[in-house]
Amino acid sequence: MKTITAVTCGNIDTASSRLRSFYLFNHALEDGFIVKRSEELSDIISADIFHLQKKFGYKLFFASVMRRLMGKVVIFDFDDQKSGFKGTVLMLLYILVANIITTDTEGRRKYWNRYLKFKRFHVVPDVIDISSEFKFISNFENIHDRSYKLVWTGNANNIKSIEPLLTMLHKKTKFKITMVVDSKSAMEISAQYPWVAVVTWRKDIIFDSQFRNSFMILNHAIDQEAVLKSDNKMVLAIAAGVVPIVSRTPAYHALATALDAEKLVFDSFEDIEKIISNINHHWVQKFLSRSQQYIENHYSSINVYNNFKQKILGSSFN
C-alpha cells in the first residue's frame, strides 16, 4: 500500500486540521492508502505523499526541500493568512517549496495568485464538520407564532463582531440566542451577557436537540482576513437542519446564491428579523431538502477526497 504522511497544525479538536486533514483522509485507507500522522523525518521522506497542513518548522521545511530534490510530492495546505513580516515570509517559503498548494476558498486562491502568478493554487473546500455517526437533519417545525431561536458559534475573540446584535436582541423578547464557545471563555461570556444562553463547544454539538428549529447567525467581519474565510459553518448549519442567516461576504454569499437562497443574506443585523419574518415553513423545508443534497455532493468527506485525488493529485495517486 502507498502512504500519505499528514502533518497538521493541531489535533482533531482544531477545526482547520479536522476539516482539512483528518476528515479529508477518512476514506484514504479504503482507497489503498495508509495515512501516517507523524513528524518523524523518515516517515516524511519515505511517504508517497506528504501533506502539510499549515504547520511550520525547520525540520518540516528541510524535509519538504529534501522531498522536492528527490522528485516527490509536497502538498502545502493553508486556510488563513499569516500576519507580520515573519509570518508572511514563512508562508511564502512553504508555498515556494511545495509543488502542490491547496487552500480553502476561491477568494484566498485569487489573493495569492495575484502575487505569485507562477504558482498554481487549488481550492479544496472544507469537509462538512460532522462525525461519521451523525446523519443530516431535514425536519424543521413551523417557525412562526413562537420565540425565534438563534445560535451563534465561534471563537470568543470574535464576539465583538456581533456585539451590536447582542445589544439589539436584549430589547427583543421574541428572540432567544445561544452562543457556543470554548470552555475557557464560557463563564466570562455568560457574566458579560447575562441575557444570552452560553454553552460549551464540542464536536457535533449543533446536532443537539436544543438547536432544532433554530437560525444560525453567521457573520464575517469586513477585513482582509475575514472576507477570505470559508463557508464551513454555513454548510454545517444546513447539515444539522439549522437555517443559516449569513453576512454578505464572499464565501457565504456565493453559497447562498448557489442554493437559490439569497433571501438569507443580510447587510446589517437589523435585517435579521425581517429575513425570518419573510420565510415560511414550506420554504424552509424545500430549502433544506435541495441544500442538503448540494452540500452532500460538494462537501462530504468522500466527495471532497475524490475530487482532491482526481483533479489535484492526478497521476500521483495511480
Side-chain angles (χ1 to χ4, degrees):
M1 296 182 80
K2 292 186 177 182
T3 58
I4 301 172
T5 294
V7 174
T8 58
C9 66
N11 59 26
I12 198 167
D13 289 327
T14 303
S16 65
S17 297
R18 183 170 64 251
L19 306 187
R20 304 197 61 76
S21 183
F22 287 94
Y23 286 1
L24 173 64
F25 295 122
N26 267 349
H27 299 274
L29 183 60
E30 62 199 57
D31 198 40
F33 281 87
I34 295 173
V35 179
K36 291 185 178 180
R37 297 201 173 273
S38 167
E39 294 187 30
E40 291 297 322
L41 194 58
S42 58
D43 288 328
I44 294 173
I45 296 297
S46 64
D48 295 286
I49 306 293
F50 176 39
H51 186 269
L52 179 60
Q53 189 258 325
K54 70 171 185 183
K55 186 163 187 177
F56 306 94
Y58 294 113
K59 184 172 77 171
L60 294 173
F61 186 75
F62 172 75
S64 299
V65 172
M66 289 297 296
R67 284 186 61 87
R68 288 304 310 275
L69 291 173
M70 295 165 67
K72 290 190 169 186
V73 176
V74 176
I75 304 169
F76 179 61
D77 177 81
F78 65 102
D79 62 346
D80 58 18
Q81 309 289 98
K82 281 287 182 182
S83 59
F85 177 76
K86 182 179 178 181
T88 302
V89 170
L90 267 176
M91 185 79 84
L92 282 170
L93 285 173
Y94 281 85
I95 288 172
L96 291 172
V97 78
N99 52 341
I100 298 176
I101 308 149
T102 58
T103 192
D104 59 337
T105 66
E106 182 64 18
R108 204 180 307 277
R109 184 196 70 78
K110 287 180 177 178
Y111 174 88
W112 282 97
N113 207 224
R114 189 184 314 145
Y115 301 105
L116 300 172
K117 297 183 186 300
F118 58 93
K119 298 291 282 188
R120 187 176 179 188
F121 295 80
H122 302 271
V123 176
V124 176
D126 293 336
V127 172
I128 302 172
D129 195 2
I130 173 175
S131 300
S132 57
E133 65 268 25
F134 283 85
K135 304 298 181 186
F136 288 4
I137 298 171
S138 57
N139 61 306
F140 197 101
E141 295 178 8
N142 196 346
I143 59 178
H144 295 295
D145 302 321
R146 66 181 67 199
S147 295
Y148 296 140
K149 296 194 297 182
L150 308 182
V151 57
W152 182 89
T153 178
N155 190 300
N157 294 330
N158 294 329
I159 288 177
K160 287 290 182 185
S161 71
I162 64 158
E163 214 164 40
L165 173 65
L166 298 179
T167 301
M168 183 178 76
L169 294 181
H170 189 28
K171 304 169 185 176
K172 293 180 179 287
T173 57
K174 194 173 185 179
F175 289 87
K176 307 295 181 187
I177 186 166
T178 300
M179 300 179 70
V180 183
V181 297
D182 64 278
S183 57
K184 293 180 181 178
S185 307
M187 287 186 64
E188 181 183 346
I189 293 169
S190 187
Q192 189 173 358
Y193 305 101
W195 65 93
V196 174
V198 178
V199 299
T200 300
W201 178 89
R202 68 176 186 281
K203 276 191 300 179
D204 304 306
I205 189 173
I206 203 65
F207 285 81
D208 282 8
S209 58
Q210 65 179 307
F211 298 118
R212 299 285 169 83
N213 311 309
S214 294
F215 299 88
M216 184 179 282
I217 307 303
L218 297 170
N219 64 302
H220 286 155
I222 307 299
D223 58 42
Q224 181 60 65
E225 163 58 12
V227 298
L228 301 181
K229 285 184 176 179
S230 83
D231 52 14
N232 64 69
K233 289 180 184 176
M234 185 176 179
V235 170
L236 173 62
I238 293 167
V242 175
V243 178
I245 299 179
V246 302
S247 58
R248 194 181 297 277
T249 40
Y252 288 154
H253 189 209
L255 182 54
T257 301
L259 298 175
D260 191 24
E262 289 190 77
K263 63 169 64 181
L264 298 178
V265 178
F266 66 84
D267 293 297
S268 69
F269 291 128
E270 286 77 13
D271 298 337
I272 292 173
E273 184 171 6
K274 184 178 180 181
I275 289 171
I276 296 175
S277 299
N278 285 343
I279 58 179
N280 57 43
H281 177 252
H282 177 69
W283 185 90
V284 169
Q285 287 295 153
K286 288 182 66 176
F287 163 74
L288 288 176
S289 178
R290 68 175 183 271
S291 298
Q292 288 181 346
Q293 185 58 60
Y294 182 94
I295 65 171
E296 173 71 26
N297 293 341
H298 291 81
Y299 300 92
S300 66
S301 178
I302 183 65
N303 286 328
V304 173
Y305 171 75
N306 282 337
N307 286 331
F308 173 80
K309 177 183 69 173
Q310 294 163 10
K311 296 181 180 179
I312 296 173
L313 294 182
S315 60
S316 299
F317 269 72
N318 296 325

